[in-house]
Amino acid sequence: MKKLLGLALITALLLSGCGEVQISINKDQEVEAETGSAKNEKVDLINDESESEKTKEADKQKAILQFINEDIYKVAEYEVVAFQSLASVSGVNYTDDQTVYRELTTITIPAYEKALNEAHGIEAGIPELEEMADRVVTATQTFYDSLILEKKAIEDQEEGLINESNAKMEEYYKLVDAYHSDMKLLAEEYNVTYDLNEPKQNVEEL
C-alpha cells in the first residue's frame, strides 16, 4: 500500500510560525489640572483610573506574550521534530511502508506526544486566552489522531484508515488557520503585534 500523504510539502506548522511579537502601547495624553481643589481631586481620580486600566492592559499584554512566545513555543519545538520526521518518509521521500512505520513509532509519534502533553499543560493566564488554549489542545489532538490512524493503517494494511488520517490532517490545518486568525485579532485588541514571519523573541527582550 503506497503512502502518498505529500507531507514533504508541509508549510504551516501550528506554532513554530508564531514569530516575533511586539508590544505597541499608545501613551495616554497628559491631563492638565484645572484650578480649584474639587477639580484637582477629580483630575487625580481620573489619573488613578487611567493608571489602573493601563496596569490591567499591561498585565494582559504580558500574559499574551508569555502564551505565544513561551507556552506555545514549547509545543512548537516538539511539533517541528514530529513534522520533520514525518516529512522525511512521506510524499516524494516515501520508500516503503516499513520505513514509514519505523519512523512513526520511533520518532514522529513520541515527539508529537510530547507536543500534545505540553499543549495540555498550558495555563491561559487570563480569561481571554482560555479559548485559545483549548483550541491549541484540539488542534494538536487532531493531528495526533491522524498519526495514530496512519500507524494503524500500516499495521492493518487498510487504505480506508489512510483516508481517515488524511481527513484528520485536513481538519488540523483548518483548525490551525482559524487559530492564527483569531489569535492575531486577540493580540491586536491588546496592542500586541502578532507576526508569524519573524523569529521568536523572548518576553524579557520586549
Side-chain angles (χ1 to χ4, degrees), residues 18-136:
C18 294
E20 179 179 351
V21 182
Q22 298 177 339
I23 286 183
S24 174
I25 302 175
N26 294 324
K27 294 183 179 179
D28 295 330
Q29 294 181 347
E30 293 182 1
V31 180
E32 293 182 2
E34 300 179 40
T35 57
S37 59
K39 291 181 178 178
N40 282 336
E41 289 176 4
K42 184 177 180 181
V43 170
D44 289 337
L45 288 173
I46 291 175
N47 283 340
D48 288 343
E49 183 179 355
S50 177
E51 287 299 319
S52 175
E53 291 299 319
K54 188 175 179 180
T55 299
K56 288 179 182 178
E57 181 170 329
D59 288 343
K60 290 187 176 183
Q61 287 173 330
K62 184 176 180 181
I64 291 170
L65 289 169
Q66 179 172 329
F67 181 83
I68 297 169
N69 288 339
E70 295 181 10
D71 299 335
I72 296 299
Y73 192 75
K74 290 177 183 177
V75 183
E77 288 181 312
Y78 292 117
E79 193 175 42
V80 169
V81 173
F83 269 73
Q84 290 177 340
S85 167
L86 190 55
S88 72
V89 293
S90 301
V92 296
N93 295 318
Y94 172 84
T95 54
D96 55 68
D97 283 355
Q98 290 74 25
T99 300
V100 176
Y101 188 82
R102 184 167 54 250
E103 188 74 18
L104 276 173
T105 55
T106 61
I107 298 178
T108 312
I109 291 175
Y112 212 86
E113 284 175 346
K114 292 178 180 178
L116 185 58
N117 288 336
E118 289 288 348
H120 277 289
I122 292 175
E123 295 183 3
I126 57 174
E128 290 85 347
L129 285 171
E130 289 177 1
E131 182 182 349
M132 293 295 103
D134 289 341
R135 288 167 71 173
V136 168

Side-chain angles (χ1 to χ4, degrees), residues 3-11 13 82-93 100 104 108 143 146-147 150 165-166 169 173:
K3 309 289 276 50
L4 296 172
L5 298 183
L7 291 178
L9 300 176
I10 287 173
T11 57
L13 300 184
F83 269 73
Q84 290 177 340
S85 167
L86 190 55
S88 72
V89 293
S90 301
V92 296
N93 295 318
V100 176
L104 276 173
T108 312
F143 193 81
S146 173
L147 295 177
E150 184 176 0
S165 175
N166 287 336
M169 195 173 299
Y173 285 129

Side-chain angles (χ1 to χ4, degrees), residues 160-172:
L161 291 176
I162 287 295
N163 294 332
E164 290 182 34
S165 175
N166 287 336
K168 281 285 184 182
M169 195 173 299
E170 288 299 321
E171 181 184 351
Y172 162 85

